[in-house]
Structures are given as C-alpha cells and as structure tokens.
Amino acid sequence: SDFGIERWFQFNRDGSFIAVASRDDIQVWQVGGGLVYTSAYNRFYSTDAFIYGAEIPQLALSPDGSLLAVSGVDFGSASTKQYFEVIDILHNETVYSWNGRKDHLHGSLYSYPGLGFSDDGTIIQTFDPTYFSIEAGSAYQSFRFWKTGYWQELDRTTEEFSGYHAPSSLLFALQSDESVEIADRTNGQVLSK
C-alpha cells in the first residue's frame, strides 16, 4: 500500500488517546482506559491493489483528545463522495461537517498526511492538492488553516497564527529526482536542501 501506517491510527499530542481506523469503524481509545468513541465507515474495497487504502479515512486528534477530525472518501455509492467532519468525542456530536463548498474547510487529503491540530487544538490544518504547484512555487498554499469553533480560514501571516504551532509542525518536504527540500508551510520558503 502507498498510504503508510499513519493511515491506520493517530495519537493525540501526549499519547493519552489513540484514534484507530479498523476494518469497519473508527474508534477512539483512552490509552489504559478503554474505548470512548466508535463510528462506522464504509470500506468498500478491501484488497484491490489499485485502490487499497484509499478508503481508509485520515484521522487527527486534538491535543487533549476531545476532538476527532475525519476526512475520507466513500467509494460505496455509484460515485465517489468526499467527506470531512470534526466530532466532539465526549459529547458524541459532530461540531463541523463539510457541505461540499470549495471555500469551506476541507481538502482532498489523499495521499498527503496533511490533517492535524495546532498545539492548543484551536486551529486545524487541512491539505488541498488543487492549490499544489511546485512550478509556480505555491505548494505551501495547499496547507490550509482554520479556526475551530468558527471554521473560518486563517491568514497564515498573522502573529495570532504563528504562536499556536511548534516550528516543526509547519515544515514539509518536497522530493525531486536529485534533492529533498524542506520548506515552510506558511510562506513556502525553502529552509534546507
């Protein structure tokens, strides 16, 4: 599979919660405490070599383990359908659900692991490949940042934005035939090659 082990599970920041995409459902466990959340999803293809792993939803847990972000593709219907939602695990309710509009919080996350929360859980990052262009120098614009609760996109150049992320969480790698570049997700600046 091209999708890697991180497609199957994600820990929250301190490792006290783990989100798992099992064969038929998404589970959140408190480490050492037991199952705290479960939700079914459609795994239509299980062994097809061309699609293997694509239907496994991408997961992210907020640092305190209270919010679960889920993004995936439903292959079970006549046409494929993307979905994205953020769930309050403790209250078992969806606090945000993507409505399909391009200007709302979502990105086609396949196959880049671009879903995640800021250090304090107030900002969520998505990845949208329609913004990705290495030639135009805009690959960094594929990473989009949204304020939880308001679900509005944030300007990544503001001071408010920069204070909520560990520096390493704002880096990404670009590989070419001859090099690997480490760039900044906020402005695209190449920091190392």
Side-chain angles (χ1 to χ4, degrees):
S1 169
D2 293 332
F3 290 90
I5 192 114
E6 68 276 358
R7 303 291 302 172
W8 300 89
F9 66 89
Q10 287 291 325
F11 283 99
N12 70 325
R13 185 179 174 128
D14 67 3
S16 58
F17 289 88
I18 184 171
V20 180
S22 70
R23 181 172 295 279
D24 300 312
D25 60 0
I26 296 166
Q27 303 168 356
V28 177
W29 294 75
Q30 184 173 18
V31 178
L35 184 66
V36 294
Y37 174 82
T38 187
S39 152
Y41 78 93
N42 180 13
R43 187 171 176 192
F44 189 71
Y45 299 101
S46 59
T47 58
D48 187 319
F50 297 106
I51 202 76
Y52 180 69
E55 76 277 25
I56 300 167
Q58 189 166 110
L59 309 172
L61 280 168
S62 63
D64 65 359
S66 65
L67 295 177
L68 170 69
V70 180
S71 182
V73 179
D74 182 358
F75 290 101
S77 58
S79 62
T80 60
K81 176 183 161 192
Q82 290 185 315
Y83 60 90
F84 180 91
E85 59 186 6
V86 180
I87 300 143
D88 181 330
I89 295 169
L90 300 176
H91 296 102
N92 194 25
E93 68 180 11
T94 300
V95 294
Y96 179 85
S97 182
W98 181 54
N99 63 7
R101 288 181 47 187
K102 296 274 185 201
D103 60 337
H104 284 198
L105 186 145
H106 187 261
S108 177
L109 300 169
Y110 296 93
S111 61
Y112 195 92
L115 184 62
F117 285 90
S118 62
D119 291 348
D120 66 351
T122 62
I123 298 172
I124 189 167
Q125 174 191 279
T126 63
F127 179 80
D128 189 339
T130 61
Y131 288 81
F132 192 91
S133 173
I134 294 174
E135 293 79 20
S138 64
Y140 75 98
Q141 293 178 357
S142 296
F143 300 97
R144 301 175 71 191
F145 300 90
W146 312 82
K147 186 74 171 168
T148 58
Y150 300 106
W151 312 112
Q152 297 295 315
E153 189 162 13
L154 291 174
D155 179 352
R156 63 184 87 204
T157 63
T158 64
E159 190 173 313
E160 174 195 17
F161 171 79
S162 63
Y164 291 99
H165 293 85
S168 62
S169 70
L170 295 176
L171 302 178
F172 71 105
L174 291 170
Q175 178 183 349
S176 68
D177 291 341
E178 300 176 10
S179 68
V180 174
E181 295 179 350
I182 306 300
D184 188 312
R185 294 181 185 191
T186 61
N187 57 23
Q189 179 183 1
V190 176
L191 304 173
S192 182
K193 185 172 181 174

